[in-house]
């Protein structure tokens, strides 16, 4: 069951990126399944549940509060980086966007992007109180 709707053109780019990482990335396909480990599930003062998962050279974060869900994927390949952001309220998508960078982001840049996204969601939730 796919929880996130991705437009066909974006899906094609994402599949191509994942294929490249699996074929040519530093980790072998046999170890690819072990990369999906939850790094930091947390519940902050805002009642948010945050899960950050390593995905190949990139990361993904899922943030939940009640029926709201925020999602960000940073998929890094040797040639580029694809960033997908989605926000759902129940079954309704409020945000569904992606961007492609013409270079690989460094580990520090990926970590910074994930941290900035989590902080922006926390700020957004605080403002709505």
């Amino acid at each position: 069951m796919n929880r996130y709707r991705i437009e066909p053109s974006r899906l094609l780019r994402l599949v191509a990126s994942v294929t490249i990482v699996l074929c040519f990335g530093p980790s072998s396909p046999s170890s690819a399944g072990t990369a999906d480990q939850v790094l930091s599930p947390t519940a902050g003062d805002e009642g948010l549940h945050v899960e950050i998962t390593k995905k190949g050279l990139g990361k993904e974060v899922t943030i939940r509060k009640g029926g709201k869900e925020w999602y960000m994927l940073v998929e890094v390949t040797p040639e580029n980086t694809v960033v997908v952001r989605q926000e759902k309220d129940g079954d309704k998508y409020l945000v569904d966007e992606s961007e492609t960078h013409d270079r690989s982001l460094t580990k520090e840049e990926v970590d910074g992007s994930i941290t900035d996204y989590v902080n922006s969601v926390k700020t957004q939730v605080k403002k709505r109180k």
Side-chain angles (χ1 to χ4, degrees):
M1 181 165 119
N2 188 0
R3 299 183 333 198
Y4 303 102
R5 180 184 56 83
I6 299 176
E7 294 177 11
S9 62
R10 293 178 181 168
L11 181 61
L12 181 60
R13 285 187 301 210
L14 187 59
V15 168
S17 299
V18 170
T19 302
I20 290 169
V21 168
L22 289 176
C23 292
F24 303 108
S27 63
S28 67
S30 62
S31 66
T34 61
D36 298 341
Q37 299 171 358
V38 175
L39 297 177
S40 59
T42 60
D45 297 337
E46 300 82 18
L48 297 173
H49 179 75
V50 180
E51 291 181 11
I52 300 173
T53 308
K54 185 166 174 32
K55 293 286 190 179
L57 299 174
K59 288 186 178 180
E60 75 176 352
V61 61
T62 304
I63 306 167
R64 294 182 187 89
K65 180 177 182 177
K68 296 238 0 168
E69 182 173 287
W70 297 264
Y71 174 80
M72 180 179 183
L73 169 67
V74 181
E75 183 68 44
V76 180
T77 70
E79 292 82 26
N80 64 24
T81 302
V82 177
V83 179
V84 177
R85 288 181 201 86
Q86 296 177 327
E87 181 180 341
K88 288 175 32 177
D89 191 354
D91 290 335
K92 181 180 177 186
Y93 282 86
L94 306 174
V95 175
D96 184 9
E97 60 189 24
S98 70
E99 60 190 55
T100 302
H101 299 269
D102 293 336
R103 65 179 183 85
S104 298
L105 293 183
T106 65
K107 181 184 181 310
E108 292 77 20
E109 290 172 317
V110 170
D111 291 343
S113 296
I114 295 291
T115 300
D116 290 347
Y117 186 71
V118 170
N119 289 336
S120 72
V121 170
K122 286 180 178 181
T123 300
Q124 179 182 347
V125 169
K126 280 183 184 178
K127 286 183 179 179
R128 290 187 182 174
K129 284 186 176 180

